[in-house]
Amino acid sequence: MYQVTAAIRADESGHRVECSVPLPVPAAVVWDAISTGEGISSWFVPCALEPQVGGRIVQFADPGAPDPTTGPEAAAEAMLTATVGEITVYSPPTTSAPGVFTYVERDWMGEGVPVPAWETTCEVVGNGEDGDDDGCVLRLRSGFDTGGQLPEEALSGSVDGWAQALTVLAHRLTHRPADGVVTEIAATDPVQVTVPELWARVASQLVAPASGVGGGASANAGAVARSGEVGGIVAAESEASMTLILSGPADGMLELFAFPAGDTHEDAAERAALAVRVFEYVDVPGTDGSPLGEAAVDGEPTWDATRWRTWLGALITG
């Protein structure tokens, strides 16, 4: 739909997910969206970072974790499942050089677990002669500096994840680049079914064929998602996740996914939960209409987390 490409590439140095997406906005706007905490939060996961080499980047990807901005206790609990990395390259784009942002996560499977460091690099390359005004291309590489079975298994789930996240970014910068983004995250309690069983139950309720509308990656491409007051066009999907361009109750994007949930590996194999991450576009008062790269704003969403949780619960119970 937005010419997002994503695939695993292997060479003598190891395995990486490599992604690319053209974006119709200046390189400086995309740079703000991929190299600031506010920007990353507006299309990926809640994030805080220190914009300099040697600075920390903290990403709160667990949908069941508390909002880390609500107080010190919530922040401490959220940090238990957050990923923490170190920024190793932070070079904004210029008229003659691309912007490059790189960070390394060393304890992504938990402190002390002997896994290779996970490195992610974002490169913003301008299309025009001035390197900026004619749009740009975002290239992302994420993976390990070593080969072996672990990288290949760990990266297999990242291909769809990055493709869907970059679809969210591309839609926002294509359609609402001058507006802000309010995010909302909700998740259900675990239920006693496997992830495939839960996703089959949810997808059967949510998707009805609609020929020739939108676009996607599977047999359900172009389907219209419907459930209660929530609707939209399927922009991307995988075995247990779906990204929607919302038509209601808000203007924005929605990521819906099922995931294993349990205190042990054995529990998680037979238990699953459902989560949603909503990116709602909102007007930013007092702006001149220029694109806002890091447009995450302090505003009220159309639906709060409680209402989204109720919607998810209805999908689970049928």
Side-chain angles (χ1 to χ4, degrees), residues 121-142:
T121 294
C122 297
E123 183 181 47
V124 184
V125 182
N127 292 331
E129 291 183 1
D130 60 2
D132 194 63
D133 291 340
D134 294 327
C136 63
V137 175
L138 172 62
R139 296 172 183 149
L140 182 145
R141 296 183 299 277
S142 186

Side-chain angles (χ1 to χ4, degrees), residues 23-120:
L23 295 165
V25 293
V29 173
V30 179
W31 173 257
D32 280 349
I34 58 94
S35 68
T36 65
E38 299 88 349
I40 294 170
S41 299
S42 72
W43 61 273
F44 192 41
V45 297
C47 175
L49 63 82
E50 300 164 318
Q52 60 188 17
V53 173
R56 287 204 316 169
I57 176 171
V58 182
Q59 298 180 86
F60 301 93
D62 184 357
D67 182 349
T69 65
T70 57
E73 291 185 4
E77 185 175 346
M79 282 297 296
L80 296 176
T81 53
T83 60
V84 180
E86 179 186 356
I87 297 171
T88 56
V89 181
Y90 196 91
S91 179
T94 67
T95 56
S96 59
V100 181
F101 172 55
T102 300
Y103 60 91
V104 176
E105 298 164 298
R106 295 182 175 84
D107 295 319
W108 53 272
M109 284 193 67
E111 188 173 354
V113 178
V115 292
W118 190 309
E119 182 180 79
T120 300

Side-chain angles (χ1 to χ4, degrees), residues 120 130 161-162 206 233 244:
T120 300
D130 60 2
W162 279 121
L206 194 63
I233 304 299
L244 309 179

